[in-house]
Amino acid sequence: MSQYAKPIEMMLPSKEVNLQQWAVVACDQYTSQPEYWQQVEEQVGQAPSTLRLILPEYQLEQPGIEEKIQTIHSRMEAYQKEGVLAQFGAGIMVVERQLDGTNQRRYGLVMGFDLEAYDYQEGSISAIRPTERTVQERIPSRMAVRKGASLELPHILLLMDDPEDKILGLARKQVEGQPACYSTPLMQKGGAVTGWWIPAGEKTQPIEDALQELADRKRFEERYGVDASCPMVVFATGDGNHSMAAAKANWEQIRATLSEEERQIHPARWVLAELVNLNEESLEMEPIHRLACGVSLEVFQQKAQEFFARNQMKVSFTDAPVQPEQGWEMELFYEKEQLWMQLEGETWALPVAAIQAFLDDLSGQLDYKLDYIHGRDTLCQLSEKSEHLGILLPDFEKKQLFAGVVKDGVLPRKTFSMGRANDKRFYLECRRILP
């Protein structure tokens, strides 16, 4: 049995529920596109839906949030009492997600993960760890929904580093030939999703044993080239870290009221999430670029030289790419100029960690605004404004992610984007978190 993950009790909508209306995308998507959520409202109508059990984040600035949260909590109870949701025993859900407009499929395991093994605080060394820095200001709104809620709905995607695809390959073999537990197209170009249920017991045990192998100390040290002093990372958040942080914060409040015996069995100690393989081909990760507004190119170069010299790294600027054998190269855009920045040294494992450390240090010296930009074309366009400097980060190699978390700690906020918005997790399974 894995000490960090386990089969867990779940609830699914009854057979009478239209799953295409039931499943909606993660609440933190399309926050600048309220028209998306208005279209979802039209498609759902009065049908049972997870839309009634979540608070889309675009609504956070709207009035009446407390009343909306109370309505969400009431609807959770109503869905359980009215038979909209059916209780399953403990188990693991094997999920196949077909991505819209492609032939690609992403596989995952929906199961329970121990919040005692997770820490979102700065400097975390927990076995389940954020990949990116948690923004503390985003937790209270998620906590407000979770506190007092009888159900949790996961849009969390946890990552594992399983290059041989041993775990998901084993899970797919376990459900081969079995009828699906659910299968449905997803609204708003979300593709489709199919799930197969494995009841806890004989068939889940090999999966649990394989997951436990990820926590083998010798494997960890050999995989990442570290020694026994390095804290182990077993799982890392890919999406939904702030929802997981809210689950942890909520558990800590509940935990303080319980005896040690009660803490072992309370359902809120565990969080429902989908575990995916970092190495899966369909799992795409793209870098998020930086735009420094209100900084001149001359000052940027001078401060970069000073900062990286203090941190045992060499920095240089050229008018053409040189592609250093060791280190990284970043393309810079400044007004109508284009140049390249080279960084050499081993202080950081990822270029984004190095450049963000510099930009954070620069904010203590200069009054400038830092923005996070998706896509080269958008960065180029915005960099044409006066004193706008765009930093195009190198392509993000997935194999670097765990190595970066292991060696650099929790990565900077906005390090990478994991797939398109419509590829994010759709709510479908539920779980009761009150005794």
Side-chain angles (χ1 to χ4, degrees):
M1 174 181 175
S2 170
Q3 65 191 101
Y4 306 117
K6 70 174 184 178
I8 205 160
E9 298 80 9
M10 298 182 212
M11 304 179 84
L12 286 175
S14 65
K15 294 181 180 179
E16 291 74 28
V17 173
N18 182 318
L19 292 182
Q20 191 169 4
Q21 292 174 303
W22 172 262
V24 304
V25 78
C27 66
D28 58 352
Q29 299 303 303
Y30 301 102
T31 54
S32 299
Q33 298 167 267
E35 63 275 10
Y36 173 93
W37 290 101
Q38 289 162 9
Q39 291 165 6
V40 172
E41 282 279 359
E42 292 169 5
Q43 291 184 46
V44 166
Q46 299 301 311
S49 176
T50 55
L51 181 62
R52 308 305 172 204
L53 307 179
I54 65 165
L55 181 65
E57 289 199 355
Y58 86 97
Q59 297 180 355
L60 288 178
E61 303 302 320
Q62 297 178 2
I65 291 298
E66 291 183 4
E67 290 81 0
K68 289 178 181 177
I69 292 173
Q70 289 176 1
T71 301
I72 288 170
H73 292 169
S74 297
R75 193 65 61 91
M76 287 178 174
E77 292 293 344
Y79 278 2
Q80 293 171 80
K81 291 177 181 176
E82 294 166 4
V84 172
L85 286 165
Q87 180 71 52
F88 275 54
I92 297 173
M93 189 71 73
V94 182
V95 175
E96 177 193 82
R97 176 73 177 275
Q98 182 173 350
L99 305 181
D100 181 66
T102 75
N103 292 321
Q104 292 184 318
R105 286 170 167 78
R106 184 180 74 214
Y107 293 92
L109 301 177
V110 179
M111 53 195 305
F113 296 86
D114 191 357
L115 290 169
E116 289 286 295
Y118 165 76
D119 181 13
Y120 61 87
Q121 300 292 343
E122 200 84 22
S124 170
I125 57 170
S126 54
I128 306 176
R129 199 178 304 177
T131 49
E132 298 182 339
R133 184 175 69 85
T134 305
V135 181
Q136 299 286 340
E137 294 77 12
R138 293 185 63 187
I139 296 177
S141 60
R142 303 286 182 90
M143 270 282 285
V145 177
R146 193 174 182 92
K147 190 172 183 179
S150 61
L151 297 176
E152 68 171 356
L153 296 82
H155 74 255
I156 301 163
L157 288 176
L158 284 179
L159 301 170
M160 60 180 166
D161 188 8
D162 181 18
E164 294 85 21
D165 194 32
K166 179 177 180 180
I167 294 162
L168 284 170
L170 181 61
R172 288 194 297 271
K173 188 174 291 187
Q174 293 284 54
V175 299
E176 201 171 63
Q178 290 186 20
C181 184
Y182 60 74
S183 187
T184 183
L186 297 168
M187 66 171 70
Q188 300 286 83
K189 298 182 178 179
V193 65
T194 303
W196 293 267
W197 179 250
I198 308 180
E202 184 179 342
K203 286 193 173 182
T204 61
Q205 194 59 55
I207 299 172
E208 296 176 71
D209 293 341
L211 285 170
Q212 183 59 28
E213 290 178 18
L214 292 178
D216 179 76
R217 183 77 220 183
K218 183 178 178 182
R219 175 195 180 276
F220 175 77
E221 292 175 14
E222 291 177 351
R223 174 78 175 148
Y224 304 110
V226 296
D227 60 26
S229 67
C230 184
M232 191 181 309
V233 183
V234 181
F235 307 123
T237 53
D239 267 339
N241 181 58
H242 290 90
S243 287
M244 193 153 176
K248 173 71 170 186
N250 185 56
W251 164 239
E252 287 175 338
Q253 289 187 0
I254 294 172
R255 187 181 190 277
T257 68
L258 303 176
S259 68
E260 188 56 41
E261 184 179 354
E262 290 170 329
R263 290 171 184 173
Q264 301 302 316
I265 60 173
H266 197 285
R269 171 174 170 164
W270 298 80
V271 65
L272 196 62
E274 182 178 344
L275 181 65
V276 296
N277 186 3
L278 172 68
N279 302 280
E280 191 162 317
E281 186 178 343
S282 64
L283 195 65
E284 296 182 355
M285 291 185 176
E286 298 178 353
I288 302 177
H289 311 299
R290 270 53 176 168
L291 181 70
C293 311
V295 179
S296 72
L297 179 58
E298 182 181 4
V299 169
F300 180 89
Q301 291 175 306
Q302 176 192 338
K303 296 295 184 181
Q305 295 281 6
E306 295 171 359
F307 174 82
F308 287 111
R310 292 197 307 270
N311 288 277
Q312 294 76 52
M313 292 192 76
K314 179 184 176 183
V315 61
S316 54
F317 298 89
T318 59
D319 294 331
V322 297
Q323 297 177 345
E325 291 184 10
Q326 293 184 340
W328 314 293
E329 185 169 63
M330 286 164 265
E331 201 168 351
L332 305 182
F333 304 96
Y334 183 74
E335 298 179 0
K336 297 295 183 180
E337 295 186 55
Q338 182 181 12
L339 66 158
W340 283 260
M341 173 182 181
Q342 295 82 27
L343 279 176
E344 297 177 74
E346 299 181 352
T347 306
W348 288 277
L350 293 179
V352 64
I355 198 67
Q356 189 63 50
F358 163 58
L359 292 169
D360 289 344
D361 182 79
L362 191 63
S363 68
Q365 304 175 55
L366 300 176
D367 183 18
Y368 81 99
K369 178 186 175 184
L370 181 62
D371 205 351
Y372 303 90
I373 307 299
H374 296 261
R376 177 194 175 96
D377 292 345
T378 303
L379 185 72
C380 292
Q381 182 181 359
L382 293 171
S383 299
E384 293 178 357
K385 298 178 182 179
S386 177
E387 291 201 336
H388 278 50
L389 191 146
I391 305 164
L392 190 80
L393 288 164
D395 287 342
F396 192 92
E397 293 187 37
K398 293 190 294 184
K399 64 182 181 181
Q400 295 178 330
L401 179 64
F402 265 71
V405 173
V406 169
K407 295 177 181 178
D408 292 341
V410 175
L411 301 179
R413 184 187 177 214
K414 302 290 186 182
T415 292
F416 63 89
S417 174
M418 207 164 85
R420 305 167 298 176
N422 57 335
D423 297 335
K424 304 296 185 181
R425 194 166 206 283
F426 276 59
Y427 301 107
L428 209 153
E429 302 88 353
C430 301
R431 175 173 166 266
R432 188 169 177 87
I433 54 174
L434 293 181

